[in-house]
Amino acid sequence: MKRRLLSIGLSFIMGIMLTAQPVDATSTKKSIEAKKQQQQQLQNDISNLNDQIAGIESKKEAVSNELNALGEELLDLLTSISICKDEINDKEGQVKQVKADLKKAEGAETEQYEDMKTRMKFMYEKGDTAYLQVCLESKSIGEMISKAEYVEKVYDYDRELLEQYQNTKDAVGMLKDNLEEEEAELLACQLELEEEEELMKRTIAEKQATVANFEQELSYAQAKVSDYKSELQKKNAEIKQLEDKQRQEEAAAAAAKAAAAAAKATAVRGGNPGAAGASPSDPAPVISGGSATGQAVANYACQFVGNPYVFGGTSLTNGTDCSGFTQSVYAHFGISIPRDSTSQRSAGRAVSYAEAAPGDIICYAGHVAIYLGNGSIVHASTPKTGIKYGTATYRTILSIRRIV
């Protein structure tokens, strides 16, 4: 009788535990879902900020390339200005020399012209007596002819000399005009080049200011990403705590249920407990939910738990690293994904942690794993632990990629 009363009492207590426990489990589950939604929002914000950063960096690179091109153009322009100034200095020297030559030619012309006028004046004043005097003073006809020819030669010489000076003066004057015209053209070119230089320097200053603005935007966006990542880490830690609590609650509920069943069995048997069978160990997490292919990927990946980790490896049996593990698992199903963990973060499409299903790739900073469901993963972890099971939230999740 006492044994039966004890059995009934145990059943009553277990019944109370079973009715109270689901309330806590439901509350914890709701908290986890809320945290996961907040986590997904943070992941979306980080993704959007990374897109903005990529866009800003792309624009910055384009403007930087423009700056490099402008720098080369400015160098060519400054070289042209330097050459132009050298040519102007050379022309100024040539003009100075030609002016001196012109002045000299004009002086010689004037002097010769005055000498010729004096001789002509003398001959005019003397009239024909000059020739008569030449004839009378000559001792012979030959001498007289020679002197007459000499007078004619003097006139011819004067005329030729004047023509020569005039031609020289005209040539030098023309050269002077040409040089001055060339100098004026060079000065105009210099002015244009200097205006181009000023415009280019302003453009370069504007581009530099644009790059500086891009750097400020990048700094701001990167700071926001850092803040979001810190918040994301906090959310991951909170989710992990809540999931641990949920597992504890589920384990407590299962234990209570088993105890209640045992108590009930004892009561049915009249208080004579039988030997309870030991529950088998469950080395692999339960895989459920998601697509058939995703479950197949997860199931296949679990076959290699315990195999070695090898940096740079891709062999599921002889050794692989984290991204080689995920790539090789998917390759078994004829699906190609990138080789490294960073590139795999862009494979497939993004899903939230709340939507994560078996077969999805969980992406961390420099690491990837295959999701098994119920907060569990399988991954090539370290050379010490090899391929093993783990908890999805053991590190900050950057992205979750749905491949199939």
Side-chain angles (χ1 to χ4, degrees):
M1 183 66 180
K2 289 181 180 179
R3 186 178 295 171
R4 183 171 182 81
L5 289 173
L6 178 62
S7 176
I8 294 171
L10 286 172
S11 298
F12 179 73
I13 293 170
M14 291 303 172
I16 293 174
M17 291 176 64
L18 286 172
T19 55
Q21 189 65 32
V23 175
D24 293 336
T26 301
S27 176
T28 302
K29 185 175 181 180
K30 288 182 178 179
S31 297
I32 290 173
E33 291 301 319
K35 295 293 182 184
K36 286 181 178 180
Q37 289 177 0
Q38 294 171 3
Q39 180 195 52
Q40 180 59 36
Q41 183 59 49
L42 285 170
Q43 288 175 343
N44 292 338
D45 291 340
I46 290 173
S47 178
N48 291 335
L49 279 171
N50 284 331
D51 290 341
Q52 292 178 22
I53 288 172
I56 294 170
E57 287 178 340
S58 177
K59 292 177 182 178
K60 179 184 173 184
E61 182 180 2
V63 176
S64 296
N65 291 336
E66 291 177 11
L67 268 175
N68 291 334
L70 286 171
E72 293 177 1
E73 290 180 19
L74 179 60
L75 180 61
D76 291 340
L77 186 59
L78 292 174
T79 302
S80 298
I81 291 174
S82 179
I83 292 171
C84 185
K85 288 180 177 179
D86 290 341
E87 290 179 346
I88 289 172
N89 291 334
D90 184 57
K91 290 297 178 185
E92 287 176 347
Q94 292 181 35
V95 170
K96 186 176 180 181
Q97 181 61 46
V98 168
K99 285 181 177 178
D101 293 343
L102 180 60
K103 187 175 181 181
K104 183 179 179 181
E106 289 174 343
E109 179 197 23
T110 301
E111 182 180 351
Q112 181 63 25
Y113 180 65
E114 293 299 328
D115 291 343
M116 186 187 72
K117 284 199 300 181
T118 300
R119 284 193 294 273
M120 289 179 66
K121 181 179 178 183
F122 172 78
M123 297 297 293
Y124 176 76
E125 291 175 347
K126 296 297 183 180
D128 293 338
T129 57
Y131 284 101
L132 180 60
Q133 185 177 357
V134 169
C135 293
L136 292 175
E137 291 177 354
S138 299
K139 296 179 179 180
S140 64
I141 295 175
E143 184 180 354
M144 182 182 67
I145 293 172
S146 297
K147 288 183 177 181
E149 289 177 351
Y150 172 76
V151 171
E152 291 295 330
K153 285 181 179 180
V154 168
Y155 285 129
D156 291 340
Y157 172 76
D158 283 337
R159 185 174 58 256
E160 289 175 4
L161 202 58
L162 280 173
E163 290 177 355
Q164 179 182 344
Y165 285 142
Q166 182 63 41
N167 291 336
T168 300
K169 187 182 76 170
D170 292 343
V172 172
M174 186 179 296
L175 179 59
K176 171 178 167 292
D177 293 340
N178 289 338
L179 288 172
E180 288 177 343
E181 184 177 342
E182 291 176 7
E183 181 184 16
E185 182 179 336
L186 286 171
L187 288 170
C189 289
Q190 180 185 357
L191 183 61
E192 290 180 7
L193 289 171
E194 288 174 348
E195 288 179 353
E196 289 181 24
E197 177 190 5
E198 185 63 27
L199 177 60
M200 189 168 294
K201 285 181 177 178
R202 286 200 302 270
T203 303
I204 288 174
E206 291 171 0
K207 297 292 183 184
Q208 288 172 336
T210 302
V211 170
N213 289 336
F214 285 149
E215 289 174 350
Q216 290 178 356
E217 292 179 21
L218 281 172
S219 178
Y220 175 78
Q222 288 165 349
K224 293 292 290 182
V225 168
S226 179
D227 292 341
Y228 285 152
K229 284 181 178 178
S230 298
E231 189 65 25
L232 185 61
Q233 288 174 346
K234 292 179 183 177
K235 296 299 178 188
N236 283 337
E238 291 171 359
I239 290 172
K240 186 176 185 301
Q241 290 177 354
L242 288 171
E243 286 180 339
D244 290 341
K245 182 180 177 182
Q246 184 182 34
R247 281 191 287 271
Q248 292 172 1
E249 291 171 349
E250 289 173 351
K257 185 176 181 180
K264 185 176 180 181
T266 299
V268 171
R269 289 194 297 269
N272 183 23
S279 61
S281 61
D282 185 17
V286 177
I287 300 173
S288 62
S291 67
T293 305
Q295 292 185 40
V297 168
N299 288 328
Y300 180 72
C302 291
Q303 298 178 30
F304 304 100
V305 170
N307 287 346
Y309 174 100
V310 175
F311 179 76
T314 57
S315 173
L316 296 172
T317 54
N318 297 326
T320 180
D321 58 18
C322 66
S323 55
F325 174 68
T326 52
Q327 185 188 51
S328 297
V329 167
Y330 270 97
H332 176 76
F333 295 90
I335 299 170
S336 176
I337 61 174
R339 173 64 181 87
D340 60 274
S341 59
T342 301
S343 299
Q344 287 183 14
R345 207 157 71 209
S346 301
R349 63 183 179 88
V351 296
S352 67
Y353 185 66
E355 299 170 323
D360 291 345
I361 295 178
I362 308 293
C363 302
Y364 310 91
H367 190 66
V368 287
I370 292 177
Y371 190 61
L372 302 178
N374 299 316
S376 299
I377 57 172
V378 60
H379 59 139
S381 180
T382 65
K384 183 177 180 180
T385 59
I387 300 173
K388 69 168 192 174
Y389 298 114
T391 303
T393 54
Y394 85 109
R395 288 180 58 191
T396 301
I397 297 174
L398 299 182
S399 180
I400 301 171
R401 311 304 299 183
R402 177 70 49 78
I403 307 299
V404 292

